[in-house]
Amino acid sequence: WLTVAGWQAAIASSAYLQGVLIQNFIQVLNSDYKPKLWHGTLLCYGVLLVCIFVNTVAGTKLPRIESVLLVAYLLSFIGVIVPLVYLAPHGSAHDVFATFVNGGGWSSQGLSFFVGVSGNAFAFLGADCVYHMSEEIKNATTVVPRSIVYGLLVNGSIGFATLIATLFCIGDLDAITGTDFTYPFIAIYVQATQSKGGSAAMVALILLVGLGLDIGIMAAASRMLWSFARDRGVPGWRYISQVDARTRIPFTAVITTTVLSVLLGFISIGSAIAFNDVVSLTLAALYASYLIACALLLWRRCTGCIKPLPLSGGSDTEKSNLPGSAGKLFWGPWRIPGLLGTSINLFACIYLLIIEIFVFWPPTKEVDGATMNYSVLVMGAVAIFSAVYYLFWGRRTYHGPVVDTFDR
């Protein structure tokens, strides 16, 4: 439930972020434009329409579309970073690496760091996106983990380079943080180019990358919902688990994901703060699901319950790590063995635990209705709903993951 809820909140929040970014794009071109909450909501719905079109009507072309968007992503990085570094005023290394800002009024710089680190943690969400597409991938046991590692290497390198370049080109920090733009990085572009057209072009590239991101999130979120519905774990599982016989696309799951995002979008019309509190479930729920998985894997590693895959002997069913086979688990073809793998697993658990603690903290020490972090309330509501649903309805139909097996 944590993973399903987290991914449903992810597509809603990501589409809304794109809608607000489009508003900022308009502001760059027209300084007289006054953004309204309902403008961002309608633009969010427009983004969702593009996502649902690509994932349904053009669903069979999704791999090719994603490949084209990957090329656009790499070219957009060059198109943004080169003019930014060349045109913007440059700060010193001391400004970038030795200047710390405690904007929340916390008692120490260390505490301020940990409260703010959840913003960086948001950038690491979605690394498991390809995992939820496993059943549509050939040789998933090697292709999926390889894709995750390659994705982290590419995105990590580009993200770190962009971060360093932006920090060196930030200029007057007070002017940037006090800008009328919702996203202050746009003010950095305007300051660097001194041109509406140049700044708008750079923002347009970010929009293109973000649209590709939303298309991928829609695909992952709908597949996650579909797989849990196939396991009979959600209300309406009989309908959500249906797959189109011709295209092999879970249309009902895609439509359901879109409808949920549209309903969440209504909240943003009345209050962007309330909407942000709801979609903060993305960070809290997904990191909680990562922590559970990593903790269980660490436990199995330390107790020696996962054995090397035998080269011969035993049936395919015995070596498939089916539900209920705890104590009879086998490593797949992709793993980091020995002490190194265990150390990485332990580090992951510590990191995830820190994030999970501070994700519920408010951004400032002095809290009021506007700055309060209600994500713990949303997280608790999801936990209570899932528990109540399981106790009264779900336990009659849900008996663990449904696995189709066949003998070769």
Side-chain angles (χ1 to χ4, degrees), residues 22-58:
I22 295 173
Q23 285 184 293
N24 285 186
F25 174 76
I26 298 172
Q27 280 182 283
V28 172
L29 295 174
N30 181 8
S31 57
D32 294 329
Y33 170 67
K34 302 299 181 183
K36 304 293 184 182
L37 290 176
W38 63 272
H39 293 175
T41 304
L42 291 180
L43 291 169
C44 165
Y45 292 164
V47 173
L48 289 172
L49 282 176
V50 175
C51 293
I52 194 174
F53 175 81
V54 174
N55 278 276
T56 53
V57 178

PDB file of all heavy atoms in Angstrom, residues 22-58:
ATOM      1  N   ILE A  22       5.037  25.753 -16.033  1.00  0.00           N
ATOM      2  CA  ILE A  22       4.494  26.405 -17.227  1.00  0.00           C
ATOM      3  C   ILE A  22       4.040  27.821 -16.884  1.00  0.00           C
ATOM      4  O   ILE A  22       4.224  28.760 -17.676  1.00  0.00           O
ATOM      5  CB  ILE A  22       3.336  25.579 -17.818  1.00  0.00           C
ATOM      6  CG1 ILE A  22       3.842  24.224 -18.323  1.00  0.00           C
ATOM      7  CG2 ILE A  22       2.659  26.336 -18.955  1.00  0.00           C
ATOM      8  CD1 ILE A  22       2.739  23.283 -18.771  1.00  0.00           C
ATOM      9  N   GLN A  23       3.446  27.992 -15.698  1.00  0.00           N
ATOM     10  CA  GLN A  23       3.073  29.334 -15.262  1.00  0.00           C
ATOM     11  C   GLN A  23       4.305  30.241 -15.179  1.00  0.00           C
ATOM     12  O   GLN A  23       4.274  31.401 -15.603  1.00  0.00           O
ATOM     13  CB  GLN A  23       2.394  29.269 -13.897  1.00  0.00           C
ATOM     14  CG  GLN A  23       0.964  28.748 -13.936  1.00  0.00           C
ATOM     15  CD  GLN A  23       0.321  28.797 -12.567  1.00  0.00           C
ATOM     16  OE1 GLN A  23       0.719  28.078 -11.658  1.00  0.00           O
ATOM     17  NE2 GLN A  23      -0.669  29.662 -12.409  1.00  0.00           N
ATOM     18  N   ASN A  24       5.391  29.715 -14.618  1.00  0.00           N
ATOM     19  CA  ASN A  24       6.627  30.494 -14.528  1.00  0.00           C
ATOM     20  C   ASN A  24       7.196  30.796 -15.903  1.00  0.00           C
ATOM     21  O   ASN A  24       7.773  31.865 -16.128  1.00  0.00           O
ATOM     22  CB  ASN A  24       7.660  29.735 -13.695  1.00  0.00           C
ATOM     23  CG  ASN A  24       7.382  29.772 -12.207  1.00  0.00           C
ATOM     24  OD1 ASN A  24       8.175  29.309 -11.402  1.00  0.00           O
ATOM     25  ND2 ASN A  24       6.239  30.316 -11.818  1.00  0.00           N
ATOM     26  N   PHE A  25       7.029  29.861 -16.834  1.00  0.00           N
ATOM     27  CA  PHE A  25       7.460  30.070 -18.219  1.00  0.00           C
ATOM     28  C   PHE A  25       6.707  31.256 -18.832  1.00  0.00           C
ATOM     29  O   PHE A  25       7.301  32.103 -19.517  1.00  0.00           O
ATOM     30  CB  PHE A  25       7.223  28.788 -19.020  1.00  0.00           C
ATOM     31  CG  PHE A  25       7.496  28.909 -20.490  1.00  0.00           C
ATOM     32  CD1 PHE A  25       8.787  28.937 -20.971  1.00  0.00           C
ATOM     33  CD2 PHE A  25       6.447  28.995 -21.404  1.00  0.00           C
ATOM     34  CE1 PHE A  25       9.054  29.047 -22.332  1.00  0.00           C
ATOM     35  CE2 PHE A  25       6.694  29.101 -22.757  1.00  0.00           C
ATOM     36  CZ  PHE A  25       8.006  29.126 -23.222  1.00  0.00           C
ATOM     37  N   ILE A  26       5.412  31.316 -18.557  1.00  0.00           N
ATOM     38  CA  ILE A  26       4.600  32.429 -19.050  1.00  0.00           C
ATOM     39  C   ILE A  26       5.056  33.738 -18.400  1.00  0.00           C
ATOM     40  O   ILE A  26       5.117  34.785 -19.052  1.00  0.00           O
ATOM     41  CB  ILE A  26       3.110  32.172 -18.772  1.00  0.00           C
ATOM     42  CG1 ILE A  26       2.637  30.925 -19.518  1.00  0.00           C
ATOM     43  CG2 ILE A  26       2.263  33.379 -19.174  1.00  0.00           C
ATOM     44  CD1 ILE A  26       1.230  30.484 -19.157  1.00  0.00           C
ATOM     45  N   GLN A  27       5.393  33.679 -17.111  1.00  0.00           N
ATOM     46  CA  GLN A  27       5.865  34.874 -16.413  1.00  0.00           C
ATOM     47  C   GLN A  27       7.157  35.426 -17.020  1.00  0.00           C
ATOM     48  O   GLN A  27       7.367  36.638 -17.047  1.00  0.00           O
ATOM     49  CB  GLN A  27       6.106  34.556 -14.938  1.00  0.00           C
ATOM     50  CG  GLN A  27       4.857  34.538 -14.075  1.00  0.00           C
ATOM     51  CD  GLN A  27       5.190  34.270 -12.625  1.00  0.00           C
ATOM     52  OE1 GLN A  27       5.457  33.140 -12.230  1.00  0.00           O
ATOM     53  NE2 GLN A  27       5.185  35.333 -11.826  1.00  0.00           N
ATOM     54  N   VAL A  28       8.013  34.518 -17.475  1.00  0.00           N
ATOM     55  CA  VAL A  28       9.261  34.954 -18.096  1.00  0.00           C
ATOM     56  C   VAL A  28       8.958  35.779 -19.342  1.00  0.00           C
ATOM     57  O   VAL A  28       9.578  36.827 -19.583  1.00  0.00           O
ATOM     58  CB  VAL A  28      10.153  33.745 -18.451  1.00  0.00           C
ATOM     59  CG1 VAL A  28      11.365  34.191 -19.275  1.00  0.00           C
ATOM     60  CG2 VAL A  28      10.624  33.035 -17.196  1.00  0.00           C
ATOM     61  N   LEU A  29       8.001  35.329 -20.132  1.00  0.00           N
ATOM     62  CA  LEU A  29       7.665  36.006 -21.385  1.00  0.00           C
ATOM     63  C   LEU A  29       6.761  37.205 -21.175  1.00  0.00           C
ATOM     64  O   LEU A  29       6.779  38.158 -21.964  1.00  0.00           O
ATOM     65  CB  LEU A  29       6.985  35.008 -22.339  1.00  0.00           C
ATOM     66  CG  LEU A  29       7.859  33.846 -22.818  1.00  0.00           C
ATOM     67  CD1 LEU A  29       7.024  32.861 -23.627  1.00  0.00           C
ATOM     68  CD2 LEU A  29       9.030  34.359 -23.650  1.00  0.00           C
ATOM     69  N   ASN A  30       5.942  37.167 -20.126  1.00  0.00           N
ATOM     70  CA  ASN A  30       4.985  38.253 -19.878  1.00  0.00           C
ATOM     71  C   ASN A  30       5.011  38.599 -18.392  1.00  0.00           C
ATOM     72  O   ASN A  30       4.398  37.919 -17.572  1.00  0.00           O
ATOM     73  CB  ASN A  30       3.588  37.817 -20.304  1.00  0.00           C
ATOM     74  CG  ASN A  30       2.550  38.917 -20.105  1.00  0.00           C
ATOM     75  OD1 ASN A  30       2.881  40.066 -19.794  1.00  0.00           O
ATOM     76  ND2 ASN A  30       1.282  38.564 -20.279  1.00  0.00           N
ATOM     77  N   SER A  31       5.697  39.657 -18.052  1.00  0.00           N
ATOM     78  CA  SER A  31       5.854  40.041 -16.647  1.00  0.00           C
ATOM     79  C   SER A  31       4.539  40.520 -16.028  1.00  0.00           C
ATOM     80  O   SER A  31       4.428  40.609 -14.797  1.00  0.00           O
ATOM     81  CB  SER A  31       6.911  41.151 -16.523  1.00  0.00           C
ATOM     82  OG  SER A  31       6.561  42.276 -17.319  1.00  0.00           O
ATOM     83  N   ASP A  32       3.538  40.816 -16.853  1.00  0.00           N
ATOM     84  CA  ASP A  32       2.242  41.269 -16.340  1.00  0.00           C
ATOM     85  C   ASP A  32       1.328  40.104 -15.937  1.00  0.00           C
ATOM     86  O   ASP A  32       0.266  40.330 -15.342  1.00  0.00           O
ATOM     87  CB  ASP A  32       1.519  42.122 -17.386  1.00  0.00           C
ATOM     88  CG  ASP A  32       2.252  43.430 -17.669  1.00  0.00           C
ATOM     89  OD1 ASP A  32       2.901  43.949 -16.739  1.00  0.00           O
ATOM     90  OD2 ASP A  32       2.191  43.906 -18.819  1.00  0.00           O
ATOM     91  N   TYR A  33       1.744  38.897 -16.282  1.00  0.00           N
ATOM     92  CA  TYR A  33       0.902  37.723 -15.958  1.00  0.00           C
ATOM     93  C   TYR A  33       0.895  37.490 -14.453  1.00  0.00           C
ATOM     94  O   TYR A  33       1.945  37.456 -13.803  1.00  0.00           O
ATOM     95  CB  TYR A  33       1.435  36.495 -16.689  1.00  0.00           C
ATOM     96  CG  TYR A  33       0.791  35.199 -16.235  1.00  0.00           C
ATOM     97  CD1 TYR A  33      -0.543  34.936 -16.480  1.00  0.00           C
ATOM     98  CD2 TYR A  33       1.547  34.240 -15.551  1.00  0.00           C
ATOM     99  CE1 TYR A  33      -1.123  33.749 -16.061  1.00  0.00           C
ATOM    100  CE2 TYR A  33       0.982  33.053 -15.139  1.00  0.00           C
ATOM    101  CZ  TYR A  33      -0.362  32.810 -15.387  1.00  0.00           C
ATOM    102  OH  TYR A  33      -0.936  31.645 -14.967  1.00  0.00           O
ATOM    103  N   LYS A  34      -0.279  37.312 -13.890  1.00  0.00           N
ATOM    104  CA  LYS A  34      -0.448  37.039 -12.470  1.00  0.00           C
ATOM    105  C   LYS A  34      -0.968  35.603 -12.305  1.00  0.00           C
ATOM    106  O   LYS A  34      -2.132  35.318 -12.587  1.00  0.00           O
ATOM    107  CB  LYS A  34      -1.439  38.021 -11.836  1.00  0.00           C
ATOM    108  CG  LYS A  34      -1.055  39.488 -11.989  1.00  0.00           C
ATOM    109  CD  LYS A  34       0.276  39.783 -11.312  1.00  0.00           C
ATOM    110  CE  LYS A  34       0.647  41.254 -11.449  1.00  0.00           C
ATOM    111  NZ  LYS A  34       1.980  41.541 -10.853  1.00  0.00           N
ATOM    112  N   PRO A  35      -0.111  34.687 -11.901  1.00  0.00           N
ATOM    113  CA  PRO A  35      -0.524  33.284 -11.793  1.00  0.00           C
ATOM    114  C   PRO A  35      -1.591  33.072 -10.723  1.00  0.00           C
ATOM    115  O   PRO A  35      -1.526  33.669  -9.640  1.00  0.00           O
ATOM    116  CB  PRO A  35       0.776  32.563 -11.428  1.00  0.00           C
ATOM    117  CG  PRO A  35       1.650  33.611 -10.815  1.00  0.00           C
ATOM    118  CD  PRO A  35       1.298  34.888 -11.495  1.00  0.00           C
ATOM    119  N   LYS A  36      -2.560  32.241 -11.040  1.00  0.00           N
ATOM    120  CA  LYS A  36      -3.617  31.869 -10.109  1.00  0.00           C
ATOM    121  C   LYS A  36      -3.514  30.374  -9.811  1.00  0.00           C
ATOM    122  O   LYS A  36      -2.992  29.600 -10.615  1.00  0.00           O
ATOM    123  CB  LYS A  36      -4.998  32.168 -10.697  1.00  0.00           C
ATOM    124  CG  LYS A  36      -5.197  33.627 -11.136  1.00  0.00           C
ATOM    125  CD  LYS A  36      -5.204  34.568  -9.947  1.00  0.00           C
ATOM    126  CE  LYS A  36      -5.495  36.000 -10.402  1.00  0.00           C
ATOM    127  NZ  LYS A  36      -5.467  36.959  -9.270  1.00  0.00           N
ATOM    128  N   LEU A  37      -4.054  29.963  -8.655  1.00  0.00           N
ATOM    129  CA  LEU A  37      -3.986  28.557  -8.283  1.00  0.00           C
ATOM    130  C   LEU A  37      -4.695  27.676  -9.306  1.00  0.00           C
ATOM    131  O   LEU A  37      -4.210  26.606  -9.679  1.00  0.00           O
ATOM    132  CB  LEU A  37      -4.607  28.357  -6.892  1.00  0.00           C
ATOM    133  CG  LEU A  37      -3.819  28.926  -5.696  1.00  0.00           C
ATOM    134  CD1 LEU A  37      -4.604  28.724  -4.408  1.00  0.00           C
ATOM    135  CD2 LEU A  37      -2.461  28.248  -5.598  1.00  0.00           C
ATOM    136  N   TRP A  38      -5.852  28.143  -9.778  1.00  0.00           N
ATOM    137  CA  TRP A  38      -6.610  27.305 -10.699  1.00  0.00           C
ATOM    138  C   TRP A  38      -5.935  27.217 -12.065  1.00  0.00           C
ATOM    139  O   TRP A  38      -6.138  26.245 -12.803  1.00  0.00           O
ATOM    140  CB  TRP A  38      -8.052  27.796 -10.826  1.00  0.00           C
ATOM    141  CG  TRP A  38      -8.222  29.170 -11.388  1.00  0.00           C
ATOM    142  CD1 TRP A  38      -8.228  30.342 -10.705  1.00  0.00           C
ATOM    143  CD2 TRP A  38      -8.433  29.509 -12.766  1.00  0.00           C
ATOM    144  NE1 TRP A  38      -8.422  31.400 -11.567  1.00  0.00           N
ATOM    145  CE2 TRP A  38      -8.557  30.920 -12.834  1.00  0.00           C
ATOM    146  CE3 TRP A  38      -8.539  28.769 -13.945  1.00  0.00           C
ATOM    147  CZ2 TRP A  38      -8.766  31.589 -14.035  1.00  0.00           C
ATOM    148  CZ3 TRP A  38      -8.746  29.439 -15.143  1.00  0.00           C
ATOM    149  CH2 TRP A  38      -8.857  30.825 -15.185  1.00  0.00           C
ATOM    150  N   HIS A  39      -5.108  28.217 -12.408  1.00  0.00           N
ATOM    151  CA  HIS A  39      -4.330  28.124 -13.646  1.00  0.00           C
ATOM    152  C   HIS A  39      -3.386  26.916 -13.572  1.00  0.00           C
ATOM    153  O   HIS A  39      -3.290  26.128 -14.518  1.00  0.00           O
ATOM    154  CB  HIS A  39      -3.496  29.396 -13.856  1.00  0.00           C
ATOM    155  CG  HIS A  39      -4.307  30.609 -14.108  1.00  0.00           C
ATOM    156  ND1 HIS A  39      -3.744  31.876 -14.220  1.00  0.00           N
ATOM    157  CD2 HIS A  39      -5.645  30.781 -14.272  1.00  0.00           C
ATOM    158  CE1 HIS A  39      -4.691  32.760 -14.443  1.00  0.00           C
ATOM    159  NE2 HIS A  39      -5.857  32.129 -14.472  1.00  0.00           N
ATOM    160  N   GLY A  40      -2.677  26.808 -12.431  1.00  0.00           N
ATOM    161  CA  GLY A  40      -1.752  25.693 -12.264  1.00  0.00           C
ATOM    162  C   GLY A  40      -2.461  24.349 -12.301  1.00  0.00           C
ATOM    163  O   GLY A  40      -1.930  23.371 -12.841  1.00  0.00           O
ATOM    164  N   THR A  41      -3.678  24.299 -11.756  1.00  0.00           N
ATOM    165  CA  THR A  41      -4.440  23.046 -11.760  1.00  0.00           C
ATOM    166  C   THR A  41      -4.823  22.641 -13.178  1.00  0.00           C
ATOM    167  O   THR A  41      -4.676  21.479 -13.570  1.00  0.00           O
ATOM    168  CB  THR A  41      -5.705  23.198 -10.897  1.00  0.00           C
ATOM    169  OG1 THR A  41      -5.341  23.602  -9.575  1.00  0.00           O
ATOM    170  CG2 THR A  41      -6.467  21.879 -10.829  1.00  0.00           C
ATOM    171  N   LEU A  42      -5.306  23.603 -13.959  1.00  0.00           N
ATOM    172  CA  LEU A  42      -5.686  23.299 -15.341  1.00  0.00           C
ATOM    173  C   LEU A  42      -4.475  22.881 -16.178  1.00  0.00           C
ATOM    174  O   LEU A  42      -4.559  21.967 -17.001  1.00  0.00           O
ATOM    175  CB  LEU A  42      -6.373  24.505 -15.977  1.00  0.00           C
ATOM    176  CG  LEU A  42      -7.763  24.861 -15.437  1.00  0.00           C
ATOM    177  CD1 LEU A  42      -8.316  26.084 -16.154  1.00  0.00           C
ATOM    178  CD2 LEU A  42      -8.719  23.678 -15.599  1.00  0.00           C
ATOM    179  N   LEU A  43      -3.363  23.545 -15.965  1.00  0.00           N
ATOM    180  CA  LEU A  43      -2.140  23.171 -16.675  1.00  0.00           C
ATOM    181  C   LEU A  43      -1.675  21.781 -16.250  1.00  0.00           C
ATOM    182  O   LEU A  43      -1.159  21.008 -17.066  1.00  0.00           O
ATOM    183  CB  LEU A  43      -1.047  24.202 -16.411  1.00  0.00           C
ATOM    184  CG  LEU A  43      -1.280  25.581 -17.049  1.00  0.00           C
ATOM    185  CD1 LEU A  43      -0.280  26.597 -16.519  1.00  0.00           C
ATOM    186  CD2 LEU A  43      -1.180  25.482 -18.570  1.00  0.00           C
ATOM    187  N   CYS A  44      -1.857  21.461 -14.975  1.00  0.00           N
ATOM    188  CA  CYS A  44      -1.566  20.107 -14.480  1.00  0.00           C
ATOM    189  C   CYS A  44      -2.410  19.081 -15.219  1.00  0.00           C
ATOM    190  O   CYS A  44      -1.902  18.021 -15.636  1.00  0.00           O
ATOM    191  CB  CYS A  44      -1.832  20.042 -12.980  1.00  0.00           C
ATOM    192  SG  CYS A  44      -1.926  18.377 -12.277  1.00  0.00           S
ATOM    193  N   TYR A  45      -3.686  19.378 -15.420  1.00  0.00           N
ATOM    194  CA  TYR A  45      -4.564  18.459 -16.156  1.00  0.00           C
ATOM    195  C   TYR A  45      -4.114  18.313 -17.613  1.00  0.00           C
ATOM    196  O   TYR A  45      -4.238  17.235 -18.207  1.00  0.00           O
ATOM    197  CB  TYR A  45      -6.006  18.965 -16.098  1.00  0.00           C
ATOM    198  CG  TYR A  45      -6.625  18.902 -14.719  1.00  0.00           C
ATOM    199  CD1 TYR A  45      -7.785  19.612 -14.418  1.00  0.00           C
ATOM    200  CD2 TYR A  45      -6.054  18.127 -13.713  1.00  0.00           C
ATOM    201  CE1 TYR A  45      -8.369  19.553 -13.161  1.00  0.00           C
ATOM    202  CE2 TYR A  45      -6.625  18.059 -12.449  1.00  0.00           C
ATOM    203  CZ  TYR A  45      -7.782  18.775 -12.179  1.00  0.00           C
ATOM    204  OH  TYR A  45      -8.353  18.717 -10.928  1.00  0.00           O
ATOM    205  N   GLY A  46      -3.616  19.412 -18.189  1.00  0.00           N
ATOM    206  CA  GLY A  46      -3.094  19.323 -19.553  1.00  0.00           C
ATOM    207  C   GLY A  46      -1.906  18.373 -19.639  1.00  0.00           C
ATOM    208  O   GLY A  46      -1.788  17.590 -20.587  1.00  0.00           O
ATOM    209  N   VAL A  47      -1.025  18.448 -18.650  1.00  0.00           N
ATOM    210  CA  VAL A  47       0.124  17.530 -18.600  1.00  0.00           C
ATOM    211  C   VAL A  47      -0.355  16.084 -18.473  1.00  0.00           C
ATOM    212  O   VAL A  47       0.156  15.173 -19.131  1.00  0.00           O
ATOM    213  CB  VAL A  47       1.052  17.897 -17.431  1.00  0.00           C
ATOM    214  CG1 VAL A  47       2.155  16.845 -17.253  1.00  0.00           C
ATOM    215  CG2 VAL A  47       1.675  19.268 -17.653  1.00  0.00           C
ATOM    216  N   LEU A  48      -1.374  15.877 -17.636  1.00  0.00           N
ATOM    217  CA  LEU A  48      -1.917  14.535 -17.461  1.00  0.00           C
ATOM    218  C   LEU A  48      -2.516  14.000 -18.756  1.00  0.00           C
ATOM    219  O   LEU A  48      -2.421  12.795 -19.051  1.00  0.00           O
ATOM    220  CB  LEU A  48      -2.972  14.527 -16.349  1.00  0.00           C
ATOM    221  CG  LEU A  48      -2.451  14.702 -14.917  1.00  0.00           C
ATOM    222  CD1 LEU A  48      -3.616  14.873 -13.951  1.00  0.00           C
ATOM    223  CD2 LEU A  48      -1.601  13.495 -14.510  1.00  0.00           C
ATOM    224  N   LEU A  49      -3.152  14.875 -19.537  1.00  0.00           N
ATOM    225  CA  LEU A  49      -3.714  14.446 -20.823  1.00  0.00           C
ATOM    226  C   LEU A  49      -2.627  13.941 -21.764  1.00  0.00           C
ATOM    227  O   LEU A  49      -2.800  12.927 -22.448  1.00  0.00           O
ATOM    228  CB  LEU A  49      -4.471  15.615 -21.463  1.00  0.00           C
ATOM    229  CG  LEU A  49      -5.860  15.921 -20.911  1.00  0.00           C
ATOM    230  CD1 LEU A  49      -6.427  17.162 -21.583  1.00  0.00           C
ATOM    231  CD2 LEU A  49      -6.802  14.737 -21.094  1.00  0.00           C
ATOM    232  N   VAL A  50      -1.493  14.649 -21.803  1.00  0.00           N
ATOM    233  CA  VAL A  50      -0.377  14.194 -22.636  1.00  0.00           C
ATOM    234  C   VAL A  50       0.126  12.839 -22.152  1.00  0.00           C
ATOM    235  O   VAL A  50       0.373  11.926 -22.948  1.00  0.00           O
ATOM    236  CB  VAL A  50       0.761  15.230 -22.624  1.00  0.00           C
ATOM    237  CG1 VAL A  50       1.975  14.705 -23.386  1.00  0.00           C
ATOM    238  CG2 VAL A  50       0.294  16.547 -23.218  1.00  0.00           C
ATOM    239  N   CYS A  51       0.254  12.691 -20.841  1.00  0.00           N
ATOM    240  CA  CYS A  51       0.755  11.436 -20.266  1.00  0.00           C
ATOM    241  C   CYS A  51      -0.172  10.260 -20.572  1.00  0.00           C
ATOM    242  O   CYS A  51       0.287   9.168 -20.932  1.00  0.00           O
ATOM    243  CB  CYS A  51       0.930  11.581 -18.755  1.00  0.00           C
ATOM    244  SG  CYS A  51       2.227  12.725 -18.262  1.00  0.00           S
ATOM    245  N   ILE A  52      -1.479  10.503 -20.424  1.00  0.00           N
ATOM    246  CA  ILE A  52      -2.423   9.405 -20.657  1.00  0.00           C
ATOM    247  C   ILE A  52      -2.488   9.063 -22.144  1.00  0.00           C
ATOM    248  O   ILE A  52      -2.652   7.891 -22.519  1.00  0.00           O
ATOM    249  CB  ILE A  52      -3.827   9.755 -20.100  1.00  0.00           C
ATOM    250  CG1 ILE A  52      -4.695   8.496 -20.037  1.00  0.00           C
ATOM    251  CG2 ILE A  52      -4.506  10.815 -20.928  1.00  0.00           C
ATOM    252  CD1 ILE A  52      -6.031   8.721 -19.373  1.00  0.00           C
ATOM    253  N   PHE A  53      -2.310  10.050 -23.023  1.00  0.00           N
ATOM    254  CA  PHE A  53      -2.291   9.779 -24.461  1.00  0.00           C
ATOM    255  C   PHE A  53      -1.100   8.895 -24.828  1.00  0.00           C
ATOM    256  O   PHE A  53      -1.247   7.896 -25.545  1.00  0.00           O
ATOM    257  CB  PHE A  53      -2.222  11.087 -25.238  1.00  0.00           C
ATOM    258  CG  PHE A  53      -2.073  10.905 -26.730  1.00  0.00           C
ATOM    259  CD1 PHE A  53      -3.181  10.631 -27.516  1.00  0.00           C
ATOM    260  CD2 PHE A  53      -0.822  10.970 -27.335  1.00  0.00           C
ATOM    261  CE1 PHE A  53      -3.050  10.433 -28.886  1.00  0.00           C
ATOM    262  CE2 PHE A  53      -0.670  10.777 -28.695  1.00  0.00           C
ATOM    263  CZ  PHE A  53      -1.784  10.507 -29.485  1.00  0.00           C
ATOM    264  N   VAL A  54       0.070   9.242 -24.323  1.00  0.00           N
ATOM    265  CA  VAL A  54       1.272   8.461 -24.646  1.00  0.00           C
ATOM    266  C   VAL A  54       1.178   7.061 -24.066  1.00  0.00           C
ATOM    267  O   VAL A  54       1.621   6.088 -24.693  1.00  0.00           O
ATOM    268  CB  VAL A  54       2.526   9.187 -24.124  1.00  0.00           C
ATOM    269  CG1 VAL A  54       3.773   8.322 -24.327  1.00  0.00           C
ATOM    270  CG2 VAL A  54       2.705  10.524 -24.819  1.00  0.00           C
ATOM    271  N   ASN A  55       0.596   6.931 -22.874  1.00  0.00           N
ATOM    272  CA  ASN A  55       0.537   5.626 -22.203  1.00  0.00           C
ATOM    273  C   ASN A  55      -0.621   4.746 -22.655  1.00  0.00           C
ATOM    274  O   ASN A  55      -0.690   3.584 -22.255  1.00  0.00           O
ATOM    275  CB  ASN A  55       0.461   5.824 -20.694  1.00  0.00           C
ATOM    276  CG  ASN A  55       1.809   6.063 -20.062  1.00  0.00           C
ATOM    277  OD1 ASN A  55       2.539   5.126 -19.745  1.00  0.00           O
ATOM    278  ND2 ASN A  55       2.161   7.329 -19.897  1.00  0.00           N
ATOM    279  N   THR A  56      -1.536   5.281 -23.478  1.00  0.00           N
ATOM    280  CA  THR A  56      -2.656   4.470 -23.952  1.00  0.00           C
ATOM    281  C   THR A  56      -2.688   4.418 -25.480  1.00  0.00           C
ATOM    282  O   THR A  56      -2.372   3.395 -26.080  1.00  0.00           O
ATOM    283  CB  THR A  56      -3.987   5.030 -23.419  1.00  0.00           C
ATOM    284  OG1 THR A  56      -4.095   6.428 -23.746  1.00  0.00           O
ATOM    285  CG2 THR A  56      -4.085   4.859 -21.923  1.00  0.00           C
ATOM    286  N   VAL A  57      -3.040   5.518 -26.105  1.00  0.00           N
ATOM    287  CA  VAL A  57      -3.151   5.547 -27.563  1.00  0.00           C
ATOM    288  C   VAL A  57      -1.811   5.223 -28.218  1.00  0.00           C
ATOM    289  O   VAL A  57      -1.735   4.442 -29.177  1.00  0.00           O
ATOM    290  CB  VAL A  57      -3.658   6.926 -28.040  1.00  0.00           C
ATOM    291  CG1 VAL A  57      -3.730   6.967 -29.567  1.00  0.00           C
ATOM    292  CG2 VAL A  57      -5.031   7.230 -27.435  1.00  0.00           C
ATOM    293  N   ALA A  58      -0.746   5.823 -27.686  1.00  0.00           N
ATOM    294  CA  ALA A  58       0.596   5.571 -28.237  1.00  0.00           C
ATOM    295  C   ALA A  58       1.386   4.615 -27.351  1.00  0.00           C
ATOM    296  O   ALA A  58       2.623   4.604 -27.393  1.00  0.00           O
ATOM    297  CB  ALA A  58       1.344   6.895 -28.387  1.00  0.00           C
TER     298      ALA A  58
END
